[in-house]
Amino acid sequence: LFAAIILGLSGPSALAKLFSWEPLVAVGASTYALYLLHFNVYILLHEYHVLDKLHLARFDPWISYVFVILLAVAVRKWVEHPAQQAIGAWWKRREAAKMQRAAIAVG
């Protein structure tokens, strides 16, 4: 089954089109934030009875899952990705300065 999925995704196909759907790509890009947040946020939602207070307990656990996934997507968009860009820009400046110092030292 796994090999069939890999083959199905290796070229243009209905399965590849399905997995390239923007919401699925956003959730896929947010998996690290989801990994870090899922357990603690789920526990906090239930420990503080948030769903009971919002009268949404009858939709549990699905509403909790949706909340945690949306939170992970938001953290990816507004925290993780900007931090990656800032670190990447800093690294490029650092490397450029290092190359400039090396060029000055040689010449």
Side-chain angles (χ1 to χ4, degrees):
L1 180 62
F2 184 71
I5 291 172
I6 296 299
L7 285 173
L9 293 174
S10 65
S13 67
L15 190 58
K17 192 171 185 174
L18 172 71
F19 283 125
S20 67
W21 186 44
E22 192 62 34
L24 287 180
V25 172
V27 170
S30 304
T31 55
Y32 185 64
L34 183 61
Y35 164 72
L36 292 176
L37 295 172
H38 77 279
F39 183 75
N40 294 317
V41 172
Y42 188 85
I43 294 299
L44 287 172
L45 282 174
H46 291 88
E47 188 172 303
Y48 289 100
H49 306 285
V50 173
L51 299 175
D52 293 329
K53 292 175 184 174
L54 295 174
H55 307 289
L56 295 173
R58 67 176 178 246
F59 299 115
D60 197 41
W62 301 107
I63 195 87
S64 300
Y65 298 159
V66 169
F67 177 76
V68 171
I69 291 169
L70 291 176
L71 180 64
V73 170
V75 166
R76 164 73 178 144
K77 182 175 183 177
W78 290 307
V79 178
E80 184 182 350
H81 188 66
Q84 286 175 341
Q85 289 180 325
I87 291 168
W90 169 79
W91 188 262
K92 285 180 184 177
R93 286 192 310 274
R94 180 178 177 266
E95 291 299 310
K98 189 187 299 183
M99 295 295 283
Q100 188 177 19
R101 284 192 302 270
I104 291 171
V106 168

